[in-house]
Amino acid sequence: SSRDDQQSETLAKPTFSEVQASALVESVFGLQVSKIWPLPSYDDQNFHVYISRTKDSTDGPTEYVLKISNTEASKNPDLIEVQSHIIMFLKAAGFPTASVCPTKGDNTTSLVSVDSGSEIKSYLVRLLTYLPGRPIAEVPISPQLLYEIGRLAAKLDKTLEKFHHPKLNILHRENFIWNLKNVPLLEKYLYALGENRSQRMVEQVIQLFKEEVMTKLSHFRE
């Protein structure tokens, strides 16, 4: 069943070509693409987009990230809308975040329908400004860097306490696998590690989490 889950997630992931992605940027956001290439992604699809300057756009950013949500996430546009508003809120508060690029209809997202031959699939599309930098995994770690990361995380946390949105509760997803309190959900993916020492180690950690953490969760600050 775990393999079936994985397969269904794979099927839900968008498979737009670079030509199709370019056409989306132009038709939905009204920007002329000069270069485009894929970026890594988990279950969505991302593209690094360069746009051409026109007579009407002599200033502003020239690099963007086109994000195409998978078919499952695209059924929940309110979730993406809240995420976009959080990005805009943090940008206004002075954080080094991307900016949300409005569609030609002045929305934060657009729902695009594609005929795959056997069925019509719908994908939520949004465009963010490209944020240059290096992933932390590629940077030498130092106590100062760790301090800066912790400081930024705390500042982010305090700032988000002031964020309000009528649909904010949509972020509380019970079985969201990236929520750290849902560690036991990882059991169904243990097969991916194969029968080896790593699998046994992960099994032990999950078991300890159930015994030592789950029993105390109600006492933790959230």
Side-chain angles (χ1 to χ4, degrees):
S1 66
S2 297
R3 285 178 175 82
D4 291 341
D5 290 343
Q6 193 177 40
Q7 188 179 21
S8 67
E9 284 173 15
T10 303
L11 291 172
K13 184 171 180 174
T15 55
F16 283 71
S17 68
E18 291 172 24
V19 172
Q20 290 172 317
S22 292
L24 276 180
V25 174
E26 293 173 14
S27 64
V28 176
F29 300 96
L31 298 172
Q32 187 73 36
V33 176
S34 60
K35 283 189 296 184
I36 187 169
W37 60 82
L39 289 170
S41 62
Y42 173 64
D43 56 4
D44 298 323
Q45 198 176 11
N46 301 320
F47 290 92
H48 188 169
V49 181
Y50 281 85
I51 64 156
S52 303
R53 291 273 191 226
T54 65
K55 287 183 293 183
D56 301 322
S57 61
T58 53
D59 55 0
T62 57
E63 290 181 73
Y64 293 87
V65 174
L66 175 69
K67 298 185 73 68
I68 306 170
S69 297
N70 65 70
T71 49
E72 284 306 305
S74 296
K75 294 173 184 174
N76 195 354
D78 288 345
L79 178 64
I80 307 296
E81 182 197 331
V82 171
Q83 290 176 357
S84 296
H85 279 276
I86 289 172
I87 292 171
M88 292 186 285
F89 175 79
L90 291 173
K91 182 77 175 177
F95 283 83
T97 60
S99 297
V100 179
C101 181
T103 66
K104 288 198 287 189
D106 205 29
N107 298 307
T108 57
T109 60
S110 178
L111 191 64
V112 176
S113 296
V114 177
D115 189 346
S116 62
S118 57
E119 60 177 326
I120 303 291
K121 292 184 176 179
S122 296
Y123 302 95
L124 268 177
V125 175
R126 54 185 165 155
L127 194 68
L128 306 175
T129 52
Y130 180 77
L131 201 62
R134 281 191 294 165
I136 196 70
E138 297 174 7
V139 180
I141 296 296
S142 67
Q144 182 62 28
L145 181 62
L146 293 174
Y147 170 79
E148 292 297 336
I149 292 169
R151 188 169 179 269
L152 181 64
K155 187 180 174 189
L156 186 77
D157 212 33
K158 295 300 288 182
T159 303
L160 285 175
E161 286 177 2
K162 304 183 188 79
F163 178 77
H164 299 287
H165 192 281
K167 298 169 184 171
L168 191 59
N169 283 343
I170 205 163
L171 293 178
H172 295 281
R173 290 169 281 175
E174 277 306 306
N175 294 316
F176 186 48
I177 201 165
W178 298 103
N179 186 331
L180 288 178
K181 71 179 179 185
N182 288 334
V183 165
L185 293 179
L186 298 176
E187 279 182 318
K188 67 179 182 179
Y189 300 107
L190 280 169
Y191 71 88
L193 294 171
E195 296 286 340
N196 57 33
R197 183 169 172 271
S198 294
Q199 188 186 67
R200 290 192 295 275
M201 188 190 309
V202 173
E203 282 177 331
Q204 288 172 1
V205 169
I206 292 174
Q207 190 56 38
L208 279 169
F209 188 90
K210 287 178 176 178
E211 295 169 3
E212 303 294 333
V213 179
M214 295 297 289
T215 54
K216 303 179 181 71
L217 266 182
S218 60
H219 303 293
F220 295 163
R221 197 164 45 122
E222 188 172 357

